[in-house]
Amino acid sequence: METCITKLRGKLPQQEALSICHQINILPLARFGSRRLHLPCIVFSVRRLGIHELRRGDEKLYHARVSALGRVEFTTADDLPVNEPHKFVFVHPWIRHIRGPSSGITITWGGGSESDTDLEADLDDDAEWDEVLPLHAVPVPQVDDYTRALQMVARLGQPFNALLLVQQVNGEYRRVAAEHEIVVSGLRTNVTSKNILATVLEIL
C-alpha cells in the first residue's frame, strides 16, 4: 500500500488526486426506492465483448475490453448480446472500502438505517473473541488531504469483485453474470480523473 502511494505521489498531481477524492466522497448513500436499488459506484464501460470458449453445460467464457481496466474474463450461462457491448458496464460498488476505515458512511435499507460499523459489530457479537483488547488505543497518525486522497486512489488500484450490469431501455440497469464472482485486477497506478466515473445507477 505504501509503495503504491509513493508511486502515485510521483505521477498523480495533487489537484487531480483531490478531484478523484471529491467525486467519491460526495456520493450519496445506497438506498432502495421505487422498487429500485440506487447504487453509488465507480463505473467502467465495456468497449468490446466476445465469447472466448464454451465451458461445461450452458456456461460460456466471455472476454471484455473495459475502459481503464483492460481485459476482463468471466464465466456465465447468460446469453449476452456481444454485438451491443456499449450497453454493459462493470461497476465497483465497494465505496466504503475506497473511502477507508474512517469514512463513517451509513447505508440506508428501506425505512430504517444502520451503519456499516453497526453491522460489523453485530457480526462480531456472534463470534468468539480469541484476542485480548489493548488497554490503550493507539492514536491514528494525522495525514494531509493530499496523502488521504492518494490512499483512496491506492485502494482503487487494488483487485475487487465487480458487478456486471446491462442497461435497459428506460436507462435503468439489470445485473447479469451473477453466478460467479468477477474479480478484476483494479486500476493499479493507472488512475486519472478521466477514467474515474463516480455516480449512482438505478438497478432493477
Side-chain angles (χ1 to χ4, degrees):
M1 182 73 167
E2 292 301 324
T3 302
C4 183
I5 292 173
T6 301
K7 291 180 180 179
L8 286 168
R9 193 182 295 274
K11 65 183 298 186
L12 190 63
Q14 178 173 344
Q15 197 59 39
E16 191 160 11
L18 292 175
S19 174
I20 294 171
C21 184
H22 177 70
Q23 284 189 61
I24 297 171
N25 277 335
I26 63 173
L27 286 173
L29 307 178
R31 65 182 180 86
F32 283 106
S34 302
R35 298 183 179 181
R36 291 168 174 77
L37 170 63
H38 298 257
L39 182 69
C41 55
I42 313 298
V43 178
F44 305 96
S45 59
V46 174
R47 295 175 177 172
R48 290 198 302 273
L49 180 66
I51 299 176
H52 188 65
E53 62 182 37
L54 297 177
R55 291 292 180 92
R56 63 183 182 277
D58 296 331
E59 289 194 338
K60 296 170 282 292
L61 176 64
Y62 287 86
H63 58 88
R65 181 61 60 181
V66 187
S67 62
L69 296 177
R71 183 184 175 92
V72 176
E73 292 188 346
F74 60 96
T75 303
T76 180
D78 293 343
D79 291 319
L80 306 180
V82 296
N83 58 331
E84 298 179 290
H86 61 280
K87 289 189 175 183
F88 292 91
V89 295
F90 283 95
V91 301
H92 189 328
W94 315 111
I95 302 302
R96 178 176 176 271
H97 168 73
I98 298 173
R99 284 170 168 156
S102 61
S103 62
I105 301 305
T106 302
I107 297 180
T108 302
W109 302 102
S113 65
E114 188 172 16
S115 69
D116 286 353
T117 303
D118 291 339
L119 291 173
E120 290 172 359
D122 291 341
L123 293 175
D124 290 340
D125 287 341
D126 295 333
E128 293 183 1
W129 289 94
D130 294 325
E131 61 181 353
V132 178
L133 295 178
L135 293 177
H136 301 287
V138 178
V140 178
Q142 298 298 314
V143 296
D144 58 85
D145 290 342
Y146 182 34
T147 300
R148 190 176 296 108
L150 290 177
Q151 290 172 344
M152 185 178 294
V153 172
R155 295 185 195 101
L156 272 172
Q158 298 173 343
F160 64 93
N161 290 339
L163 306 182
L164 179 60
L165 309 177
V166 59
Q167 191 172 30
Q168 305 300 289
V169 175
N170 294 328
E172 303 96 339
Y173 287 82
R174 178 174 59 87
R175 186 181 178 188
V176 293
E179 312 99 306
H180 308 290
E181 291 183 347
I182 303 176
V183 180
V184 300
S185 60
L187 294 171
R188 298 176 184 171
T189 57
N190 182 33
V191 183
T192 68
S193 57
K194 292 181 180 179
N195 58 30
I196 298 298
L197 173 58
T199 188
V200 176
L201 299 183
E202 293 185 23
I203 303 176
L204 297 172

